[in-house]
Amino acid sequence: MAGIEGSLAEGARVWLADTASGGDGSLAVFALADLLRDPGFHPVDSPRLRVPQVGLLSTVPEEQQLRALDLERHVREVETGCPVPGGKAAIKPQYDPASTTLAEREQAKADELAAQGWSGVSRATVRRWRTRYQTGGVWGLVVKRRGSTRLDRAAPEVVEALRALLPQDALRSRSRGWKKRMRREAQWWLDARHGAGVVEVPAKSTFNKLIDTVEASLGLQGTVTQRRARAARPTPPFKPTLALRPGEIVMMDSSPLDALVVLDDGVVGRLELTTAVDVAMGGLWGVLCPAGSKLTDVAVLLAQMMTPVVMRPGWDAALSMAASVVPHERLTAVDERLKDAAARPVIVPETVVVDQGKVFISPATRAACESLGISLQPVPPANGPAKGHVERRFGSINTQFVQWLPGFTGSHVGERGSRVEQEPLWTVSELQALWEEFLLHWHHRPHEGLRHPLMPKKALTPNQMWAALLPVAGYVPVPLSSDDFVELLPVRWRPITDAGIRFDYRTYDDPCLNGHRGQRSGVASQKGLWEVHHNPYDPTRIWVRLPKGFVEVAWIHATSVGLPFTHHVWEHICKVVERTGSREEHEAELALALDAFLKRAARKEKLSATERRVVAKSRAAGAVPVPQGELSVLDVPAPSFGMAGVYAAADLDDDTVPDEDDDFCDEFDDEAAAGPAAKDCGLSADADGEAQWLP
């Protein structure tokens, strides 16, 4: 060392000179703090001083602690000649580093301890003590007797096979089956990896115990649902999803409602709940519809978020926006739709997070979100934790709403009552009205996850959080027009022929198509076909995107059917009516059969069980409320303003104030068979292909 510059308080620097033989005398400068923190810096003639691991030593009996500290003194005496660092006692001749070698000192220490009555101490024993002390300190000198575990005793190849196979089964949502199946699969895996007969799985009893041990180590115990959720969980550490403004991140998902309802004419069934949750303020929106969601349900849900809900007769005045903490007068000055609105946030989603459900990732959904400026982000398959906010809301809905309904079925069969179907069940319209009122109460209920930086001790309601975020994000009214809602409907690509537009064995025609018949649309990616949007819950009309915009085209047999119907009824008619003539004749027969069926259902005539289910699902689907867009987006000014002056300064006497300290356009061939009845009818299947990962 050449010298030290500066003071310890200001941060000294050390100058080191290369004075070794053959060195050039060059200088190197180090900060003293960095030099002392370096694990490789210690005096050459003595080992580095180590602080005893007090926390670890406290876990063993006192006699083992004293023995380890005693061994430390013996080891230091062998290495430095002094049992205690800085000791003033004279160095024993047999441990003097200046006159003896390390091997001689190790042998001398072994002889000394043997003379004191220590058994089994040799020079090799002293060497092992030194090695353990250098690597683990005093804790390394503690005798730790640990028996081998089942994983240690098992063949590493077998453990590797189980660690590879068990997560695969969990992610594929396979039934658990018996351990005999896993034993065979493990043997097949070993034969494929190492060759036939090279590695054998252990005996049955041993293998069964090994499976339990490996499952415990991977956290794959419990039910299939729990195993799937654990296997799909992303790798820790986890980071919370952060959203700073309303609509920044919206998570959407669907799940069957755990309650029975009366669909129609005494038919009992279950509805499907499609919900959306705003991460920033905890807002909740939802649509109840029969099982087998169509893209229309997603469209209705997006429209709910962007459209105010009007107060209805029977609702308490406290649920109105005028009576809430939201600055109602200033918002009404910008958006007149909020004048008689209920206290439910109105947002424009920026990013919508969905799973791999067929409805959510369809091209129609992507196109609709793109037209509204919404970024659609599907999560990886079987990765529910990526949208944990909406997954958790289903549990809250069950505890706060569904479990109080008659016909509550529980989350699985083991929780279901024996006479649930015999309870006085609610109808779809009654449940829909109660659900809409529940959504308003949801936004008035405090949520523990909603906290304001100025009031961290107080849980806020979604409406309060929305009011707190409005001064930062502002409010931009974006009412949906009729064209905007058409964009959200399912889309198909069809040619415009002299007969019009045909799909699902229905023909749509109108004089507005003249000039485009037999022409190509100019969309090369769709081979010149035309973009057609349709509503599965109203098949009597479609919307075609022509160069001048969307044009509504009616079904040519719409006047032959006197009652409304949905795709459920049409698909049933196509299955039961056989084709006996040409395409045009068969379509006319379908229209007549449809009208006769709807009239029989309206007159409450006797229907078969299948027909009753079809009618019930159709009428239940018609009960879904669709917000109507009355204003054009281009005709409405959209000023964004801050409202920082709306709120008064916080009262310091308040205890809550802290101190200072299928419907994605499946291209069905017109000539493909759709059943024994209509060979030219392409039927769109219900979008039930979602890979569910949670109940």
Side-chain angles (χ1 to χ4, degrees):
M1 182 173 66
I4 298 179
E5 176 185 7
S7 63
L8 294 177
E10 298 176 355
R13 294 191 300 171
V14 180
W15 294 73
L16 300 179
D18 186 6
T19 59
S21 59
D24 57 358
S26 58
L27 296 175
V29 183
F30 299 92
L32 181 59
D34 296 338
L35 190 64
L36 295 177
R37 282 196 299 264
D38 192 292
F41 175 75
H42 60 82
V44 177
D45 57 348
S46 63
R48 182 178 180 180
L49 298 177
R50 307 191 61 166
V51 178
Q53 299 93 328
V54 179
L56 293 175
L57 290 175
S58 62
T59 61
V60 298
E62 184 177 359
E63 57 270 15
Q64 294 191 26
Q65 299 180 27
L66 297 177
R67 182 181 183 277
L69 295 174
D70 192 20
L71 288 179
E72 181 189 23
R73 289 190 291 270
H74 291 301
V75 170
R76 295 199 62 82
E77 187 175 21
V78 171
E79 293 181 342
T80 65
C82 296
V84 179
K88 299 180 180 180
I91 299 177
K92 299 178 181 179
Q94 64 271 30
Y95 300 118
D96 188 0
S99 58
T100 58
T101 63
L102 182 59
E104 293 174 346
R105 296 196 296 273
E106 290 175 348
Q107 186 62 49
K109 179 56 68 176
D111 296 340
E112 177 185 348
L113 295 178
Q116 295 178 4
W118 290 54
S119 61
V121 178
S122 63
R123 177 189 167 190
T125 305
V126 178
R127 189 183 304 113
R128 284 196 300 269
W129 290 344
R130 291 184 51 248
T131 303
R132 289 160 56 185
Y133 181 73
Q134 292 173 0
T135 56
V138 179
W139 178 248
L141 299 176
V142 176
V143 178
K144 294 178 282 292
R145 303 185 183 278
R146 182 179 62 89
S148 60
T149 63
R150 185 171 286 111
L151 292 178
D152 297 332
R153 297 192 300 269
E157 297 82 2
V158 178
V159 176
E160 180 186 5
L162 292 178
R163 290 185 181 276
L165 293 174
L166 289 175
Q168 290 180 5
D169 273 8
L171 287 173
R172 290 202 302 263
S173 302
R174 294 187 62 182
S175 302
R176 289 191 63 87
W178 284 266
K179 295 178 180 178
K180 180 188 297 185
R181 186 190 74 184
M182 181 56 64
R183 188 166 181 264
R184 291 185 179 181
E185 290 184 358
Q187 186 62 64
W188 296 338
W189 191 91
L190 293 171
D191 292 344
R193 182 65 61 90
H194 303 284
V198 177
V199 180
E200 297 289 342
V201 296
K204 179 180 178 180
S205 59
T206 305
F207 183 81
N208 293 345
K209 297 176 182 178
L210 183 60
I211 284 184
D212 296 336
T213 304
V214 176
E215 279 188 339
S217 65
L218 297 176
L220 299 180
Q221 301 164 300
T223 63
V224 174
T225 301
Q226 294 170 339
R227 293 167 58 230
R228 183 169 61 244
R230 180 73 180 187
R233 190 183 68 168
T235 304
F238 306 118
K239 296 182 179 179
T241 302
L242 181 62
L244 302 178
R245 57 185 180 274
E248 182 178 359
I249 300 178
V250 176
M251 297 184 179
M252 193 179 298
D253 197 8
S254 296
S255 178
L257 192 71
D258 294 334
L260 299 178
V261 297
V262 179
L263 298 179
D264 184 75
D265 199 17
V267 177
V268 176
R270 296 176 65 180
L271 299 179
E272 189 171 274
L273 175 62
T274 304
T275 60
V277 175
D278 183 87
V279 176
M281 61 182 180
L284 178 66
W285 299 265
V287 176
L288 289 171
C289 57
S293 295
K294 295 291 182 180
L295 180 61
T296 312
D297 307 327
V298 180
V300 172
L301 193 57
L302 290 174
Q304 278 189 4
M305 288 184 277
M306 304 171 66
T307 307
V309 58
V310 181
M311 289 288 294
R312 298 186 180 180
W315 286 1
D316 194 285
L319 299 178
S320 65
M321 188 173 293
S324 66
V325 297
V326 180
H328 180 252
E329 294 182 359
R330 299 199 62 179
L331 291 177
T332 305
V334 179
D335 190 352
E336 295 182 356
R337 301 176 302 169
L338 300 176
K339 181 178 180 180
D340 299 321
R344 190 183 72 182
V346 181
I347 66 172
V348 179
E350 300 178 19
T351 301
V352 176
V353 180
V354 296
D355 56 19
Q356 296 290 327
K358 188 177 181 180
V359 173
F360 298 119
I361 63 174
S362 65
T365 303
R366 295 177 182 272
C369 290
E370 182 178 355
S371 65
L372 296 175
I374 301 173
S375 174
L376 190 67
Q377 293 188 1
V379 301
N383 198 343
K387 51 183 180 62
H389 289 77
V390 67
E391 297 288 354
R392 179 62 184 86
R393 291 302 182 271
F394 284 123
S396 301
I397 293 172
N398 280 340
T399 57
Q400 300 175 28
F401 178 71
V402 183
Q403 72 165 336
W404 304 100
L405 298 176
F408 175 61
T409 61
S411 58
H412 55 82
V413 179
E415 297 179 353
R416 185 171 304 177
S418 58
R419 295 181 176 85
V420 177
E421 297 83 356
Q422 301 177 9
E423 297 181 10
L425 305 179
W426 289 42
T427 63
V428 176
S429 58
E430 292 173 341
L431 184 60
Q432 182 69 43
L434 184 63
W435 166 252
E436 293 177 4
E437 188 173 359
F438 167 76
L439 290 179
L440 296 182
H441 285 279
W442 173 276
H443 293 90
H444 287 79
R445 173 182 172 272
H447 295 261
E448 292 297 328
L450 299 179
R451 304 282 176 167
H452 194 279
L454 298 180
M455 298 182 294
K457 297 181 181 180
K458 181 179 179 59
L460 303 181
T461 67
N463 280 333
Q464 291 173 340
M465 200 66 185
W466 185 42
L469 293 176
L470 278 175
V472 180
Y475 176 75
V476 180
V478 185
L480 287 175
S481 66
S482 59
D483 285 352
D484 294 325
F485 189 76
V486 171
E487 292 281 5
L488 298 174
L489 294 176
V491 61
R492 291 189 178 183
W493 296 87
R494 287 292 183 266
I496 301 178
T497 64
D498 293 339
I501 300 174
R502 287 174 171 170
F503 67 87
D504 280 359
Y505 222 86
R506 296 189 300 270
T507 302
Y508 300 85
D509 201 2
D510 191 88
C512 66
L513 300 180
N514 295 335
H516 305 287
R517 303 178 189 271
Q519 304 296 321
R520 300 175 66 87
S521 65
V523 182
S525 60
Q526 297 296 333
K527 300 180 181 180
L529 300 178
W530 295 84
E531 181 182 352
V532 178
H533 291 257
H534 66 101
N535 187 349
Y537 300 147
D538 184 15
T540 59
R541 55 180 176 167
I542 60 173
W543 293 264
V544 186
R545 189 191 296 274
L546 298 179
K548 60 181 180 181
F550 280 113
V551 176
E552 182 178 326
V553 181
W555 182 33
I556 60 175
H557 294 289
T559 56
S560 301
V561 182
L563 296 174
F565 65 99
T566 67
H567 69 99
H568 304 94
V569 179
W570 179 257
E571 292 173 0
H572 171 73
I573 295 298
C574 289
K575 292 178 182 179
V576 299
V577 177
E578 295 185 1
R579 178 175 177 176
T580 58
S582 64
R583 179 194 298 266
E584 291 76 12
E585 293 174 349
H586 183 55
E587 184 175 357
E589 293 175 357
L590 289 174
L592 294 177
L594 173 64
D595 184 62
F597 175 77
L598 293 175
K599 290 179 179 179
R600 285 196 299 120
R603 291 193 297 264
K604 302 294 183 180
E605 295 184 7
K606 185 176 181 180
L607 303 176
S608 65
T610 302
E611 291 174 338
R612 291 175 59 194
R613 285 194 298 269
V614 170
V615 174
K617 292 182 65 175
S618 177
R619 293 179 178 175
V624 177
V626 179
Q628 298 295 330
E630 301 176 354
L631 303 177
S632 173
V633 176
L634 301 178
D635 297 336
V636 177
S640 176
F641 60 93
M643 293 183 285
V646 173
Y647 303 99
D651 184 5
L652 297 180
D653 294 331
D654 189 353
D655 294 335
T656 61
V657 179
D659 297 332
E660 290 182 344
D661 293 271
D662 140 274
D663 272 309
F664 66 104
C665 316
D666 290 335
E667 291 294 337
F668 293 100
D669 191 350
D670 288 339
E671 300 299 328
K679 295 184 179 179
D680 289 359
C681 177
L683 300 179
S684 59
D686 287 341
D688 55 358
E690 179 181 353
Q692 298 182 358
W693 71 275
L694 281 178

